[in-house]
Amino acid sequence: MKKIIVLAVAMLVGMSGAALAAGTSTVAVSATVLGSCTISGGTAAFGNLDPAGAGPVSAAISQPQVNCTNGAPYTITDDGGLNAPYKMAKGSDLISYSLSYTTTGLGTGAGVNIGLAASVAALDYQNKPAGSYTDTITLSVLP
């Protein structure tokens, strides 16, 4: 009888060990950070163009800023303006100007000036009628 009890206890211990056996599993965790960009702000103001001064004029610039995901490459393009390519208008009168800026870079995760510069040559405004000339350029940034 003693052997049967020992055997029964051994079986219970063996079964309880199997019932309490631990298992493991892995869980895959992942995420993708998207490369995204925004661009905002900016002005280019030539101020008064005096035909008597007859020299090239550089615009006073308020720099547009591009903000892209850290490390994301980006490219900036423009539409050439409403009076494309690169002309300020007063009715049918036009004044040509040049525009340049940084077109590519790598995002830093913070706003970065794009290095906008604009100028107008004396020959482009010397014989134009007096008045206010304007244009609007749309800048786009792609990651």
Side-chain angles (χ1 to χ4, degrees), residues 1-2 9 11-12 21 31 33-34 40 49 55 58 61 65 67 74 78 94 102 127:
M1 176 82 158
K2 193 173 181 182
V9 170
M11 288 178 62
L12 284 175
V33 175
L34 298 177
S40 61
L49 300 175
S58 294
I61 303 292
Q65 289 200 335
N67 188 339
Y74 64 86
D78 69 68
L94 301 171
T102 304
N127 296 314

Side-chain angles (χ1 to χ4, degrees), residues 11-142:
M11 288 178 62
L12 284 175
V13 170
M15 287 174 39
S16 66
L20 298 176
T24 60
S25 178
T26 59
V27 176
V29 178
S30 66
T32 301
V33 175
L34 298 177
S36 66
C37 295
T38 60
I39 191 166
S40 61
T43 60
F46 289 105
N48 297 324
L49 300 175
D50 183 359
V57 176
S58 294
I61 303 292
S62 167
Q63 290 291 330
Q65 289 200 335
V66 63
N67 188 339
C68 294
T69 304
N70 192 12
Y74 64 86
T75 301
I76 300 170
T77 59
D78 69 68
D79 65 355
L82 296 175
N83 312 297
Y86 310 110
K87 291 178 175 55
M88 294 177 283
K90 179 186 79 87
S92 61
D93 294 309
L94 301 171
I95 297 176
S96 295
Y97 62 93
S98 65
L99 183 77
S100 64
Y101 50 87
T102 304
T103 57
T104 60
L106 285 178
T108 64
V112 175
N113 290 343
I114 69 166
L116 182 68
S119 64
V120 62
L123 289 175
D124 290 323
Y125 67 87
Q126 276 180 327
N127 296 314
K128 298 297 180 183
S132 294
Y133 292 74
T134 62
D135 193 17
T136 301
I137 292 182
T138 300
L139 298 172
S140 299
V141 62
L142 297 171

